[in-house]
Amino acid sequence: KLAHATAAIARDAGATVTLLELSEFDIPLYNADLEAQGTPADVIRLKEILWQHPAWVICSPEYNGSYTALLKNTIDWASSPVKGNPDWQDGGKSFRGKVVGMLSASPGALGGLRSQSHLAPLLINAECWLAPKAFALGSAGSAFDDSGALIQQAHRDR
Ligand SMILES: Cc1cc2nc3c(=O)[nH]c(=O)nc-3n(C[C@H](O)[C@H](O)[C@H](O)COP(=O)(O)O)c2cc1C
């Protein structure tokens, strides 16, 4: 919901937005033996989309004080070189120089903020620029109206 609300706010501000749901990508758990048999088509599709966009907003819940295995797995695949594919032999190609905003949401009070402190060094390692303003939405279960918009103006402003 936070990702969708953020996309709507960014579009209203004039940005061209591509909204990705990781559930729409058929990406298995990373395993180098599996990769040796061929990189899944949806990994290539994701690499292309990430590469085409100069800035990203990553929006994630928090599991056990960190970001999710789904997000880590997705980043691992997206940053892995594709052997025999000249376009994607450079694993860092999709990541290098991107400007990335981090958002999280949680039913808890901290809004998944701790997940961002783990995600930040991973993104820096991938040579991304982190937007200085991050946003963690606490009590997320009551933060949206029936249309999926953020209720509080202060949240929309952040
Ligand atoms: C394994 C697991 C660990 C969790 N750990 C945290 C946590 O550390 N902090 C937090 O705020 N919420 C935590 N939660 C609650 C999630 O914020 C909540 O389930 C949220 O709805 C997850 O989003 P999702 O349904 O999109 O996966 C955890 C949930 C699960 C399933």
Side-chain angles (χ1 to χ4, degrees):
K1 276 189 176 174
L2 182 59
H4 284 258
T6 301
I9 290 168
R11 285 183 181 123
D12 285 349
T16 303
V17 178
T18 304
L19 181 63
L20 304 182
E21 291 272 9
L22 296 186
S23 57
E24 292 169 3
F25 290 81
D26 187 12
I27 297 180
L29 198 58
Y30 181 84
N31 175 320
D33 294 333
L34 181 67
E35 185 180 41
Q37 297 166 31
T39 297
D42 267 9
V43 171
I44 307 284
R45 182 164 74 91
L46 181 66
K47 281 174 174 282
E48 292 273 2
I49 295 168
L50 295 177
W51 180 65
Q52 284 165 0
H53 290 72
W56 313 333
V57 175
I58 297 178
C59 190
S60 178
E62 177 177 274
Y63 286 177
N64 289 309
S66 189
Y67 53 84
T68 63
L70 172 65
L71 181 57
K72 179 65 161 59
N73 188 60
T74 305
I75 291 172
D76 289 346
W77 271 112
S79 60
S80 187
V82 183
K83 291 186 188 67
N85 182 331
D87 288 339
W88 298 110
Q89 269 168 6
D90 173 5
K93 177 177 164 180
S94 300
F95 288 78
R96 199 171 296 119
K98 302 300 178 185
V99 175
V100 186
M102 292 187 296
L103 300 184
S104 58
S106 162
L110 294 180
L113 185 63
R114 293 171 300 172
S115 70
Q116 298 182 13
S117 66
H118 288 190
L119 182 59
L122 185 156
L123 293 171
I124 289 169
N125 185 63
E127 300 180 35
C128 298
W129 299 99
L130 296 194
K133 198 166 185 93
F135 176 53
L137 178 68
S139 304
S142 56
F144 300 90
D145 66 19
D146 289 342
S147 77
L150 284 162
I151 294 167
Q152 290 188 34
Q153 182 64 42
H155 288 161
R156 294 198 292 273
D157 289 345
R158 286 295 297 272

